[in-house]
Amino acid sequence: MRSLNLALQVNKRALPLIIVLFAVCSQLFAQSQEVLFFPDSRSTRIKSMEINADLVKYQVANDQLGQFYNILKSDIMMAIYPLGTYHVYSDAKKDLVSVAYASGTNNKIDKLVTKEKKVIAANITDINMGKVNYKDLKSGNPASVNTSNLYMILYKDGKYQMYAAADEVAKALNVVSDEIKGMDNSLATGNFQNVSLNTNSGSTTTTTNTGSTGDNILDEGMPNVKKEEFEEKALAKTKELEDYLRLIANKNTKFQKANEAIDAAVKLFIDANRVMEVSSKNRSVVKKYEIRTYFEKLKLLKYDDVRVSWSDISYVSNIRKGEDGNYYGIVTLQQKFEGFIDGALVYTDVTKKNMTVILKTYDKYVVGEKQTLWDVYLGDIGVVQTE
């Protein structure tokens, strides 16, 4: 009994140390996670994430099936992916703000995000008993700050540590994004210089490389655009529309989110007057709807479950210049529609469709200099055959 009491006393003395070691290990593990936070502060570890114009596609870590999930940008509060880059949703910009905090230009700087929503450029020497000891890279002097006065540490190697709730951290990162973008490794050497910020880094517009090789499909004097580039951009927009169609048709999508998906899908088209042709095995007449009307009808179809998928998507063909100066092509695809009631498939068809894709150029002035840029939009979508 005496030896048992002694063992219990030893265990009680060791318990605080065990708890501390467990907390430290948990903290170190958390620093290297690629994670996505939803607006209700739920989080999930992710192994991939792709940001499109309005939609984000991601895979959950340790998912053996490797399933992809699609959500609107507004459904993300904050994400760390890949390590060294964070993304936070900005209500003001109605978009995700992405910041590389451990890139080749600033990966010699530890960044301390304070409760005053400022960023300290630092070289951390150690963290002990709730205090961060560091060298202030602007002043060159040693300093310290309590972790209770920090929202987050963004380490130079891409790891991170949060010291507040996820929603508070996200708000702080939104505020300090430009400050972090403006940091340069010259701070670490004492040769500080201002960095010009590219505030359009999240744009989906493509600037062409006039020095690239290959045949230019545009007129002389226009940006050099190869057919492969046009095809790649057109197919990406086509796939993005398919993702929106699935989201709009899914009866599990909340009404507000479906409306947001409709707004985002309409933006993929050259204008809201574009037409979608709709066919059915039960009628011989092909109906035509303006694109927004089509999306609204798709959302309200009287099935318990609706599934829309595309396959056999072809490359762009029949590229030509229109009278409006834009360049047009055709993408052919197979659309499968399935409608379910009480879990049973009650209607299905497969329709071959031709989708018009449009390459449009426009001028933009950057520091007084005109640049001609280009992007691809969708046009009318017509029915070829329904089976």
Side-chain angles (χ1 to χ4, degrees), residues 116-176:
E116 290 77 28
K117 294 185 173 62
K118 300 292 184 181
V119 183
I120 300 173
N123 182 21
I124 297 175
T125 54
D126 68 90
I127 302 177
N128 187 26
M129 301 300 290
K131 181 176 289 188
V132 181
N133 298 305
Y134 63 94
K135 175 184 176 182
D136 187 314
L137 294 180
K138 285 190 176 180
S139 68
N141 298 323
S144 63
V145 61
N146 292 328
T147 55
S148 60
N149 292 326
L150 296 177
Y151 281 115
M152 193 175 198
I153 296 177
L154 300 169
Y155 292 96
K156 64 184 75 172
D157 63 358
K159 295 180 180 179
Y160 63 93
Q161 185 58 50
M162 295 166 52
Y163 294 101
D167 59 336
E168 296 179 2
V169 172
K171 291 176 183 177
L173 291 180
N174 235 326
V175 172
V176 302

